[in-house]
Amino acid sequence: MINVTLKGNEVRQFENDITIMDAAKQISEGLARAALGATVDGELTELTATLTRDCALNILTFDAEEGKHILRHTASHVMAQAVKRLYPTAKLAIGPAIDNGFYYDFDMESSLSAEDLVKIEEEMKKIVKEKLEITRFELPREEAIALMKEKNEPYKVELIEDLPDEATISFYSQGEFTDLCAGPHAFDTSCVKAFKLLSVTGAYWRGNEKNKMLQRIYGTAYPKKSDLTAHLEQMEEAKKRDHNKLGRELGFFTTSELIGQGLPILLPKGAKVIQLLQRFVEDTEYACGWQQTKTPYMAKSDLYKLSGHWDHYQDGMFVMGDPEKDKEVFALRPMTCPFQYQAYLNRARSYRDLPLRYNETSTLFRNEASGEMHGLIRVRQFTISEGHLMCRPDQLEQEFKSCLELAIYMLKTLGLYEDVSYRFSQWDPDDKEKYIGTVEQWDEAQSTMQKILDHLEIPYKIGIGEAAFYGPKLDIQIKNVFGKEDTLITIQIDQMLAEKFGMEYTDSDGSKKNPYIIHRTSIGCYERTLALLIEKYAGAFPTWLAPTQVRIIPVAERHVEYAESLRSKMALHGIRVEVDLQNEKLGYKIRQAQMEKLPYMLIVGDKEAEEGLVSVRSRKGDDIGAKTADEFIAMIEEEVKTRVIN
């Protein structure tokens, strides 16, 4: 018998070599029916695995993130099996679980349509009913390649050939279908009870636009139909809030094929919001002791070679010139850090000068792949609230804490704080070529950062391989309306680049030392933040951020003069106000203002003009009533001052 510690520290005894599924049945039949996988001593595995020693066992259901991943990964295999049944010549690429769903990429002779997705769904239902047991097996490299060649799966062959020599090569089979996969998967296909195929799009093999375009089918899966229905309803709401649609409809931004992909044009509304955000950020940072710099948009390759960007980030840069032929080659900057280091190097520094905080509203350029770009969230030119802080080791934790507090203040003020999560992004020691520095330096940097995060009680997840090439970072993550996660704000600890650039300070004992550097943003990328705000508020921005705060609507032509006098008075108080001069009925003008999400409408007619009043309506349809112009101005000024979210 073996002792197995369950959730809640309950210890149960089971026979040696019992499968996890059989153990789950002994614990509870209900648990076994809901089980999708398990962790054994923290290691993720499938229900067919056996228990051979004393261990800690956690049975995973859909309530756990790992359980959701297993169900949806299994659903992607069910979908791939259905596609292979209907289109035998289709070639399999990759098919992972993702946030809120799954996808699979196929190389197919014909393009799939919405009608084809319905047929694939019907075939998936048959596979689910067949209750096919899912089994795992491993093969040596040559046998694995031979199997995939026999099945005429060239993409799988390529994946196997690219695996490191020591890699375990595993496969999963269900019925006639076999796929190269690391797993784990559910016990059988019957677990995929409620699913929906959502769309089909193009996707380059391995995300490289130089490779062949494949067809990607997106879907989602749940254990209950009611959960699926709720998710689909949420998706419909998300489509209404999608900044890429709503932002264009409301006139925040547009794009032009003549200008190029990933290069949005901010229209007056969008430009005004960015301006308001920028002023807010720069004023707040100044109050926190940050000093503004302004550095060039480009530099010679020499700068990037010294920083390491040339070796580790060149594919993501816009390079001007031929490195093989030209004496001088320039590149647009993908980040500001090496430029601000030159500001630090402008003169000798003492320990008394530290911490030194440089910030900049930086326009950056990154050569994103065409398939990665989306609206304002991922673009090729963007503006960021960037900063670099040079400090002594004894100042590091307090300065890191201050950077985090600043970011949290920004997020709370914008109403985004409740939507974020934290990721401690670490290096991948199995892929050392991606990074500069030694193993010892990385161990020290990550240990230092972990101590700080744990001391500050930050609830982070670990992201292996997500670090910058020069150091670990805390990524503040946020999801868009469709559930896709992106990084909004980063705070990074860097103890390597100061030495590379010869950045020193004279310590109290007269010795020369390299400062620690904190790379940080306070609000992140302004374009991405604008996109998230459009989605968060469905275009109805809080008054302090609204591009137009007030629209004055004269009832008739004779009231225009009074309306214009009000506009002039409010504009002098910094209120963003306009007068509706359209020759339309009052009801039409009110509805249009509400559709444009304007915070307030002021109706002015005979009574208002005679008594110096305004009749106030909100975009929610509330009739707030009559106020004097001064009362209304005071109300708006208070909302702006307190940055209330309304």
Side-chain angles (χ1 to χ4, degrees):
M1 303 294 287
I2 56 174
N3 294 315
V4 177
T5 304
L6 304 177
K7 213 171 178 182
N9 291 324
E10 178 190 359
V11 178
R12 295 277 292 267
Q13 287 195 328
F14 298 99
E15 292 183 3
N16 194 14
D17 274 345
I18 189 173
T19 68
I20 295 174
M21 174 57 92
D22 286 338
K25 289 177 180 177
Q26 290 187 26
I27 297 168
S28 162
E29 285 292 338
L31 177 63
R33 285 193 298 272
L36 293 164
T39 59
V40 178
D41 290 336
E43 292 291 321
L44 195 60
T45 189
E46 46 262 319
L47 297 169
T48 53
T50 56
L51 303 177
T52 59
R53 66 182 189 280
D54 293 352
C55 61
L57 174 66
N58 182 21
I59 306 292
L60 299 172
T61 67
F62 192 76
D63 291 335
E65 284 302 314
E66 300 99 324
K68 290 179 175 66
H69 188 278
I70 292 170
L71 175 71
R72 289 164 177 162
H73 196 180
T74 301
S76 77
H77 277 218
V78 171
M79 179 177 73
Q81 184 176 12
V83 168
K84 290 291 283 186
R85 283 184 179 182
L86 295 171
Y87 309 94
T89 60
K91 305 293 188 296
L92 302 173
I94 58 172
I98 56 175
D99 286 345
N100 294 323
F102 60 89
Y103 71 79
Y104 212 114
D105 292 344
F106 303 95
D107 186 354
M108 302 178 69
E109 296 170 356
S110 58
S111 297
L112 293 170
S113 64
E115 291 75 17
D116 293 320
L117 295 188
V118 174
K119 289 194 296 184
I120 296 169
E121 279 186 353
E122 290 302 316
E123 192 63 36
M124 289 176 68
K125 291 176 183 177
K126 294 178 184 177
I127 294 169
V128 170
K129 286 182 179 178
E130 289 170 20
K131 202 175 181 180
L132 301 173
E133 186 177 350
I134 302 172
T135 57
R136 183 183 191 272
F137 64 93
E138 298 174 6
L139 288 176
R141 181 180 300 271
E142 294 307 316
E143 290 183 33
I145 291 173
L147 175 62
M148 289 295 98
K149 283 184 176 179
E150 177 188 336
K151 291 183 172 293
N152 194 20
E153 298 292 358
Y155 297 100
K156 300 295 182 180
V157 171
E158 182 179 329
L159 290 171
I160 296 170
E161 290 175 339
D162 287 349
L163 289 172
D165 293 339
E166 68 276 9
T168 299
I169 303 174
S170 58
F171 297 84
Y172 284 81
S173 288
Q174 53 197 56
E176 81 288 355
F177 179 78
T178 298
D179 199 359
L180 171 73
C181 187
H185 284 278
F187 188 75
D188 61 45
T189 59
S190 67
C191 74
V192 188
K193 293 181 172 66
F195 57 87
K196 179 70 178 175
L197 301 187
L198 302 171
S199 63
V200 58
T201 64
Y204 291 107
W205 168 235
R206 290 187 153 181
N208 188 334
E209 57 191 12
K210 296 177 182 178
N211 291 336
K212 186 170 184 179
M213 176 72 78
L214 307 176
Q215 294 188 73
R216 174 173 294 178
I217 303 176
Y218 283 99
T220 191
Y222 286 83
K224 297 178 183 177
K225 190 173 181 180
S226 58
D227 293 335
L228 175 63
T229 300
H231 174 74
L232 294 177
E233 290 174 353
Q234 183 182 353
M235 289 290 288
E236 286 303 311
E237 177 62 24
K239 289 177 184 177
K240 297 176 186 175
R241 289 175 174 260
D242 179 11
H243 86 276
N244 209 11
K245 175 178 179 290
L246 187 59
R248 294 171 192 270
E249 291 174 352
L250 293 176
F252 281 88
F253 76 100
T254 188
T255 51
S256 167
E257 290 186 7
L258 286 173
I259 292 176
Q261 191 179 11
L263 299 168
I265 301 163
L266 291 177
L267 299 173
K269 286 184 179 180
K272 176 54 71 175
V273 175
I274 295 292
Q275 181 189 57
L276 293 166
L277 288 171
Q278 183 176 324
R279 288 174 176 172
F280 163 55
V281 169
E282 291 178 353
D283 289 348
T284 304
E285 289 181 343
Y286 177 77
C288 293
W290 290 83
Q291 301 179 54
Q292 188 85 4
T293 64
K294 186 72 175 174
T295 58
Y297 286 0
M298 66 179 75
K300 295 192 298 184
S301 59
D302 306 58
L303 181 73
Y304 303 117
K305 287 175 182 176
L306 181 58
S307 68
H309 290 98
W310 199 254
D311 291 332
H312 297 276
Y313 205 85
Q314 189 177 344
D315 289 345
M317 296 167 65
F318 290 101
V319 178
M320 294 170 285
D322 187 342
E324 302 296 326
K325 299 178 182 178
D326 298 332
K327 185 177 179 181
E328 284 191 338
V329 174
F330 287 79
L332 295 172
R333 63 181 184 186
M335 59 282 295
T336 314
C337 43
F339 295 82
Q340 290 194 329
Y341 298 164
Q342 303 309 304
Y344 180 92
L345 291 164
N346 180 54
R347 64 175 178 83
R349 305 289 177 179
S350 158
Y351 73 98
R352 297 181 186 276
D353 296 323
L354 305 181
L356 182 60
R357 309 179 188 97
Y358 284 148
N359 67 323
E360 184 164 336
T361 303
S362 308
T363 299
L364 304 179
F365 307 85
R366 295 184 185 176
N367 191 11
E368 300 281 2
S370 60
E372 294 295 317
M373 287 179 288
H374 173 63
L376 298 175
I377 285 184
R378 192 169 290 275
V379 292
R380 284 176 168 152
Q381 175 184 311
F382 56 94
T383 306
I384 193 168
S385 59
E386 199 161 18
H388 298 90
L389 186 154
M390 283 60 71
C391 65
R392 305 189 306 264
D394 62 292
Q395 297 169 327
L396 182 64
E397 180 169 346
Q398 180 56 45
E399 292 303 316
F400 188 96
K401 179 183 178 184
S402 296
C403 290
L404 179 58
E405 288 173 343
L406 176 62
I408 290 173
Y409 170 72
M410 297 288 184
L411 291 167
K412 286 183 175 179
T413 304
L414 295 176
L416 296 175
Y417 182 66
E418 62 187 26
D419 303 323
V420 304
S421 60
Y422 297 96
R423 183 180 71 194
F424 179 12
S425 294
Q426 304 180 2
W427 81 321
D428 182 356
D430 295 329
D431 194 3
K432 296 184 181 67
E433 293 182 359
K434 285 174 56 179
Y435 311 93
I436 63 173
T438 64
V439 173
E440 291 75 20
Q441 285 175 312
W442 274 94
D443 286 346
E444 181 185 354
Q446 292 188 168
S447 174
T448 299
M449 190 164 186
Q450 183 172 350
K451 287 177 183 175
I452 292 173
L453 295 178
D454 291 344
H455 188 244
L456 297 177
E457 299 182 345
I458 303 301
Y460 60 82
K461 294 180 180 178
I462 292 175
I464 301 296
E466 299 292 340
F469 68 83
Y470 49 78
K473 53 182 178 159
L474 176 67
D475 288 325
I476 302 180
Q477 303 290 103
I478 194 165
K479 294 180 180 179
N480 67 12
V481 287
F482 294 107
K484 185 181 183 303
E485 186 173 86
D486 283 293
T487 301
L488 182 60
I489 293 171
T490 64
I491 306 173
Q492 308 170 19
I493 292 179
D494 168 15
Q495 59 189 73
M496 300 185 197
L497 289 181
E499 183 178 358
K500 287 176 72 73
F501 277 87
M503 298 166 65
E504 296 179 333
Y505 66 92
T506 303
D507 208 352
S508 57
D509 61 2
S511 63
K512 297 289 186 180
K513 293 183 179 177
N514 302 119
Y516 274 82
I517 301 173
I518 298 176
H519 306 237
R520 66 100 189 121
T521 58
S522 58
I523 204 173
C525 166
Y526 284 98
E527 289 82 357
R528 183 172 291 178
T529 300
L530 173 58
L532 294 165
L533 290 172
I534 291 171
E535 295 183 349
K536 173 77 175 182
Y537 297 112
F541 280 73
T543 302
W544 75 276
L545 266 181
T548 300
Q549 296 166 319
V550 180
R551 180 172 292 168
I552 303 171
I553 304 176
V555 175
E557 182 70 25
R558 63 182 179 275
H559 307 124
V560 170
E561 183 178 350
Y562 177 58
E564 289 288 1
S565 69
L566 288 170
R567 187 202 65 77
S568 298
K569 182 175 182 177
M570 291 180 187
L572 288 174
H573 285 265
I575 296 172
R576 298 182 291 281
V577 56
E578 59 187 36
V579 177
D580 190 335
L581 298 175
Q582 296 179 93
N583 186 23
E584 298 286 353
K585 292 182 178 180
L586 179 62
Y588 174 86
K589 293 180 180 181
I590 292 173
R591 285 192 301 274
Q592 186 177 53
Q594 288 175 326
M595 289 176 64
E596 292 180 34
K597 319 282 187 174
L598 304 186
Y600 293 104
M601 292 142 272
L602 304 184
I603 316 301
V604 293
D606 290 336
K607 180 180 178 181
E608 288 79 14
E610 289 170 6
E611 300 179 16
L613 300 173
V614 291
S615 181
V616 186
R617 287 175 178 263
S618 76
R619 61 186 160 207
K620 298 176 183 177
D622 299 330
D623 186 349
I624 297 173
K627 291 182 179 291
T628 66
D630 289 339
E631 287 173 338
F632 179 74
I633 288 170
M635 184 183 87
I636 294 294
E637 287 180 330
E638 181 64 18
E639 287 188 19
V640 172
K641 179 183 176 182
T642 59
R643 297 190 179 93
V644 66
I645 296 172
N646 56 348

